[in-house]
Amino acid sequence: MKRSLYFYRLVFGVGLLLLWQVASGWLVSPVYISSPVAVAGRLSELIASGELFRHARITAFEAIAGFLLGSGVAIVVGLVLGRARRLAEVLDPFIMGFYSLPKIALAPLFVMWFGIDMSMKIIFTAAVVFLVVFLNTYSGVRSVSPEQQTVFRLMGATERQVVRMVIIPAALTWVFVGLRLSAPYALVGAIVGEIIAGNRGLGYLVARTTAQFDTAGAFAAIVAIVTLGVLLNMGIKALERSLMPWRQMEDAREVAI
Amino acid sequence: MHMDSDISPPLPALVSFAGIQKTFAAPEGDGTLVAVEGVDLTLEEGHILTILGPSGCGKSTLLNMLAGIYKPTRGTVTYRGAQVSGLNLRTGYMTQNDHLLPWRRILANVRAPYEIAGMPRRSATAKAMELIDLVGLTGFENAYPTQVSGGMRKRASLARLLAYNPETLLLDEPFVALDAQLRLAMQAELRSLARRLGKTVLFVTHDVDEAAALGDKCAVFTARPGRIRQVVDIDLPADRDLMTLRQNPDYGRIAAKLWDLVTRESREGRISHET
């Protein structure tokens, strides 16, 4: 079952690459889409010269730092606002307004405020990540069963004990949903920042190679971005597993049914 | 401390509801909804009161007011001679939902009340293990709640309730999701534990047999707005054996009486609907 799944995935992936290779030069000019073979060649060049890792390191740093900053602030604000019902009601339309704004539109302003170095990309990434994690943490805190809290208050638990024993762990599931959802956005933040203003990072590499009609180079950079995204996701999943072991049990149970 | 109810002189009431009315804002519009009305009820320490009535008749409202979760609109709830205001920490709650924390293993769930009380971890664990043994969960202390059956979760929930050792147990249809045999076992266990530990119990149910088997007395409620139709004394032995109770003719008589009270209500209900 599992093995045949991997097999079909492999078939699909190889088929896609073959189609790309065949189409390149025959249906579409390689100037536009390059070809898998050319991309692989360019990728190994970029790896060999160390250029790819230099850029990838910078992008990874920006994405992770922005992600940590944004989600850290978001979790705290989400916990606080989740408890302060009245304040949350007052702020609700503003939060939703900010939520519906495509954060990319803010990028030029961030350049004006914070310049074009790494701190701008980190802050921009943090802003992008913040809302997703905040909204999830907030709804997580709000969804903690009031009955559950009452049961603990009747045991004599103080507010702090209720928060520590019930609310924070209950919200954790939601926090991780937010973290997983926002991980790709962290990369978006960093890459957009680099494309708009910068001379380092994978976003810059995509922009530069494209401008030079080095399509294979652009695709090579994109491969690196995808890899980074997958690694980021795996890191969050591993963290989730170690912080919430009971979730795994639930998953195992679901499979057993 | 505990005396046999059959021979003791009448005890002063531990719990008393006097002239209780509770209204809520109606879910739609700005009318009000009367949950319970004109409720007068007392319960002596160490006794088990079952509260029987159709779903949605406001039975749970009484428990909530005794726990101090909210106040009655009219009337007073008195606990040990003092009016209930604010959370009544001498009561403990157990509902249909076990309210275990899914991220804690069974042991850590049962231990939670000791942690709240600030007991050192080692002795808290030891005491929790005793309770786990008492409710027959030994061997499952390291499982997460999602890994055990519904009946085991109930037992864990009961152990936790006993860990914080409230004088009075408020049980709101706690066994409703269990199959018949497990339910009987849990009922028997609950009754013997409550008797042994001298607990006062208010047990809400819509199951006539459960109300008759568990209670020392039973308050039969009407449909909404909930009023007490009758308080029935259940004159079965205090140390009754729930497993063989169905063969006891007294039990049959009492259950029949409760059935009569409950169905009379629905018969009248139907008549009033038709007219």
Side-chain angles (χ1 to χ4, degrees):
Chain A
M1 182 77 184
K2 196 93 179 163
R3 270 176 69 175
S4 70
L5 186 66
Y6 287 130
F7 174 72
Y8 288 123
R9 282 176 182 168
L10 189 70
V11 167
F12 181 78
V14 171
L16 210 61
L17 286 175
L18 275 176
L19 192 69
W20 183 7
Q21 186 69 42
V22 171
S24 172
W26 179 46
L27 288 172
V28 188
S29 159
V31 175
Y32 295 117
I33 62 166
S34 186
S35 77
V37 171
V39 171
R42 198 72 183 86
L43 195 60
S44 56
E45 273 172 43
L46 284 167
I47 290 171
S49 70
E51 199 181 354
L52 192 79
F53 285 115
R54 204 171 62 241
H55 290 297
R57 238 196 335 263
I58 287 159
T59 304
F61 180 77
E62 291 163 356
I64 291 170
F67 180 73
L68 291 179
L69 179 68
S71 54
V73 175
I75 290 169
V76 172
V77 176
L79 282 175
V80 170
L81 280 193
R83 303 288 296 156
R85 230 197 164 92
R86 192 78 198 163
L87 185 60
E89 274 170 19
V90 171
L91 295 181
D92 183 64
F94 301 96
I95 293 167
M96 287 332 275
F98 190 40
Y99 185 65
S100 49
L101 169 78
K103 257 61 71 185
I104 310 260
L106 293 175
L109 280 171
F110 272 66
V111 173
M112 187 174 85
W113 294 335
F114 304 109
I116 59 164
D117 60 1
M118 255 164 64
S119 62
M120 169 256 164
K121 282 120 196 169
I122 291 171
I123 295 170
F124 181 60
T125 301
V128 174
V129 167
F130 172 82
L131 264 179
V132 182
V133 178
F134 162 74
L135 283 177
N136 276 283
T137 307
Y138 174 72
S139 22
V141 172
R142 292 297 293 274
S143 70
V144 179
S145 135
E147 261 182 61
Q148 178 74 276
Q149 296 177 46
T150 304
V151 165
F152 272 75
R153 289 206 182 91
L154 281 173
M155 287 180 200
T158 60
E159 273 310 296
R160 275 182 65 173
Q161 284 172 324
V162 171
V163 169
R164 186 172 57 78
M165 295 175 87
V166 183
I167 291 174
I168 290 180
L172 201 59
T173 316
W174 289 71
V175 169
F176 269 103
V177 171
L179 292 181
R180 245 184 301 154
L181 284 174
S182 67
Y185 290 101
L187 224 43
V188 169
I191 302 272
V192 165
E194 288 162 0
I195 289 178
I196 287 185
N199 51 13
R200 291 183 301 176
L202 291 171
Y204 162 75
L205 192 61
V206 173
R208 191 197 73 193
T209 48
T210 310
Q212 295 169 343
F213 290 101
D214 176 8
T215 317
F219 274 111
I222 286 169
V223 169
I225 292 170
V226 169
T227 310
L228 205 56
V230 169
L231 287 177
L232 205 55
N233 244 321
M234 278 164 59
I236 290 168
K237 273 208 177 128
L239 189 67
E240 189 173 353
R241 231 170 289 144
S242 71
L243 273 178
M244 303 196 298
W246 68 93
R247 295 282 299 175
Q248 238 176 309
M249 307 293 179
E250 280 167 35
D251 292 347
R253 201 174 136 88
E254 275 160 24
V255 172
I257 292 165
Chain B
M1 180 192 142
H2 185 79
M3 287 179 286
D4 194 340
S5 59
D6 291 336
I7 52 165
S8 61
L11 296 160
L14 176 69
V15 175
S16 119
F17 296 92
I20 297 293
Q21 188 202 43
K22 179 65 189 173
T23 58
F24 293 101
E28 286 151 39
D30 34 31
T32 54
L33 206 128
V34 182
V36 289
E37 203 169 50
V39 172
D40 294 296
L41 189 61
T42 56
L43 180 61
E44 291 75 34
E45 185 157 12
H47 283 202
I48 299 178
L49 169 73
T50 51
I51 300 173
L52 175 66
S55 298
C57 76
K59 299 172 301 227
S60 310
T61 313
L62 290 182
L63 299 195
N64 287 336
M65 288 185 289
L66 183 56
I69 295 169
Y70 44 67
K71 286 183 185 159
T73 312
R74 226 183 285 158
T76 49
V77 183
T78 316
Y79 188 89
R80 211 177 271 292
Q83 193 174 334
V84 173
S85 67
L87 281 186
N88 182 355
L89 297 186
R90 291 178 170 181
T91 63
Y93 233 108
M94 181 167 156
T95 65
Q96 206 173 321
N97 185 324
D98 52 63
H99 289 304
L100 294 173
L101 300 175
W103 49 87
R104 284 178 170 236
R105 298 171 194 269
I106 298 290
L107 172 63
N109 262 296
V110 176
R111 197 176 53 201
Y114 297 128
E115 290 175 24
I116 287 169
M119 188 184 284
R121 198 176 191 88
R122 182 185 289 239
S123 41
T125 301
K127 294 199 86 167
M129 284 305 291
E130 277 172 32
L131 287 175
I132 286 172
D133 186 48
L134 184 70
V135 299
L137 274 181
T138 307
F140 292 95
E141 61 273 8
N142 284 323
Y144 284 101
T146 47
Q147 292 175 296
V148 301
S149 69
M152 289 180 176
R153 281 203 293 275
K154 277 307 164 233
R155 286 168 195 273
S157 187
L158 185 60
R160 185 179 67 179
L161 188 62
L162 295 173
Y164 67 100
N165 203 19
E167 286 178 339
T168 298
L169 310 183
L170 309 179
L171 307 177
D172 191 352
E173 307 201 14
F175 306 143
V176 82
L178 304 181
D179 65 67
Q181 276 152 301
L182 195 52
R183 204 170 172 178
L184 183 58
M186 288 301 293
Q187 288 166 355
E189 196 148 348
L190 173 75
R191 187 160 167 100
S192 83
L193 276 174
R195 295 279 309 164
R196 199 163 2 129
L197 304 171
K199 298 291 180 200
T200 309
V201 180
L202 283 85
F203 191 107
V204 162
T205 179
H206 60 240
D207 178 331
V208 171
D209 290 314
E210 189 168 61
L214 271 180
D216 295 313
K217 61 180 177 179
C218 174
V220 183
F221 271 70
T222 65
R224 179 171 296 191
R227 297 162 184 274
I228 295 179
R229 177 173 292 272
Q230 195 174 326
V231 179
V232 179
D233 277 317
I234 298 176
D235 43 5
L236 293 169
D239 58 350
R240 66 191 78 155
D241 176 9
L242 262 63
M243 296 296 171
T244 58
L245 198 58
R246 269 74 188 167
Q247 282 111 55
N248 182 328
D250 288 335
Y251 169 80
R253 181 176 49 75
I254 291 160
K257 180 170 184 185
L258 295 182
W259 271 116
D260 176 58
L261 285 167
V262 169
T263 54
R264 192 190 304 164
E265 145 135 60
S266 62
R267 287 197 303 267
E268 282 168 13
R270 191 174 305 136
I271 290 162
S272 71
H273 280 303
E274 282 164 1
T275 48

